[in-house]
Amino acid sequence: MIFWDEIEQRALAARRQMVRSGELLSEDEFREQLNVSAGHFARMVARGSVFTIEVDCVDYYPSLLSAPNIDLKRLHAVCRILSPAPPSCRLGYLSSRHANIGGTSPIEALRDESQYRLLRRMAHAYAAEWSRTSVTIYVGRHQNEPSDTEPTLTAIDEVDPRVNIWKRTVGALQSGGYIHPCGPYPRAPVATVFIARHPAGQARATSEARIDVSVVDGIARAVIAIHEGPTYELDSIQVANEESIVDVVLRFAVAARKSESKSR
């Protein structure tokens, strides 16, 4: 048995023990403890207020999420924040003590207003660790991300995938979390930008958008193609001689973020 197989077997044995001990409940048992209707329960699951742990191809619910002596409204709100993380990691987070919330556990932090506010901030930070947004810029026009061309820029940032795509894009370009190369960047008449979301682990990246940028006679234009969504053009912008193609892309990303904010 190889190392990772052994780890999986131990984890499965631990989950089976949790079922036997009542730490994991069937849906009927769990819903009975919560005392909610089937419709309300379905909405809770859809929103991420509660989550399941799979054991032998059967979904169980952590009894912790229905404990009678806990502020469940606050607990379920924290669960929604944590939803980008895998279910087992969410349960581990809720069950462990954390230095960044004063060495206490999330369950204990629910009892105090200031601790609860701190917990929410730290939970957001934890959730962001499970997803990265990448922004990759290539000189030239490309329908799909090329494998034989070096990008002009690759920027990556850890951020909650539920955050608006353009806010994440601007954050990646400005954060310095990972930006390569660090410049200087060229001016270019044509460029293509690919924006993707990368779940933690070995899961495949999800393409989110492509921006086709062109610069002619000091005027830049950008056409945005959202994955499985509409294609639209942003208002053109005037470009100074000293602005690189990365500067232009950042300006369009900021414009896209502002445009979406106004349309809400």
Side-chain angles (χ1 to χ4, degrees):
M1 181 181 294
I2 64 174
F3 176 75
W4 289 114
D5 288 338
E6 184 176 350
I7 294 295
E8 283 291 328
Q9 288 298 319
R10 289 181 180 178
L12 178 57
R15 292 195 296 270
R16 286 170 174 166
Q17 177 57 36
M18 292 175 73
V19 174
R20 289 192 292 268
S21 67
E23 294 174 78
L24 292 176
L25 304 174
S26 68
E27 179 177 327
D28 289 342
E29 293 171 322
F30 185 68
R31 192 156 66 84
E32 183 178 351
Q33 283 206 9
L34 287 175
N35 192 28
V36 295
S37 68
H40 182 69
F41 182 71
R43 289 191 293 273
M44 292 177 68
V45 173
R47 295 181 65 197
S49 299
V50 297
F51 56 87
T52 61
I53 301 292
E54 184 181 303
V55 184
D56 295 319
C57 299
V58 178
D59 287 336
Y60 293 90
Y61 292 83
S63 60
L64 178 69
L65 305 184
S66 62
N69 58 339
I70 292 176
D71 187 330
L72 293 182
K73 183 177 180 180
R74 286 184 171 183
L75 176 58
H76 294 163
V78 173
C79 287
R80 291 193 292 273
I81 294 171
L82 295 173
S83 63
S88 59
C89 295
R90 290 179 239 174
L91 181 57
Y93 181 88
L94 293 171
S95 306
S96 306
R97 294 182 179 275
H98 302 277
N100 60 10
I101 55 173
T104 189
S105 72
I107 300 303
E108 293 168 337
L110 297 173
R111 303 185 184 120
D112 178 80
E113 181 63 34
S114 62
Q115 282 287 95
Y116 174 60
R117 289 197 299 268
L118 175 61
L119 169 62
R120 288 179 61 90
R121 292 199 301 272
M122 295 303 102
H124 275 293
Y126 179 76
E129 295 176 7
W130 293 94
S131 181
R132 293 172 176 82
T133 295
S134 69
V135 181
T136 311
I137 303 173
Y138 294 88
V139 170
R141 182 68 67 238
H142 305 277
Q143 189 69 23
N144 299 298
E145 192 161 355
S147 58
D148 57 352
T149 303
E150 282 293 316
T152 299
L153 172 81
T154 299
I156 301 174
D157 192 24
E158 289 184 348
V159 61
D160 191 320
R162 295 165 294 187
V163 172
N164 173 272
I165 180 176
W166 302 116
K167 185 174 182 179
R168 288 186 281 119
T169 299
V170 171
L173 291 170
Q174 292 182 326
S175 71
Y178 175 87
I179 294 180
H180 180 80
C182 58
Y185 305 112
R187 298 173 62 209
V190 178
T192 309
V193 185
F194 296 93
I195 303 166
R197 186 174 69 250
H198 303 257
Q202 301 300 314
R204 293 183 61 182
T206 299
S207 174
E208 293 193 277
R210 188 188 74 244
I211 311 175
D212 297 329
V213 179
S214 60
V215 183
V216 178
D217 296 331
I219 302 298
R221 292 178 171 80
V223 176
I224 294 177
I226 298 293
H227 181 65
E228 296 184 351
T231 297
Y232 60 95
E233 185 171 357
L234 293 172
D235 292 339
S236 60
I237 59 175
Q238 191 163 5
V239 178
N241 288 334
E242 65 273 12
E243 286 188 280
S244 72
I245 192 62
V246 174
D247 295 325
V248 174
V249 169
L250 176 58
R251 288 179 63 187
F252 275 127
V254 171
R257 183 184 62 183
K258 290 180 179 178
S259 176
E260 285 207 0
S261 297
K262 290 179 181 178
S263 64
R264 290 176 184 173

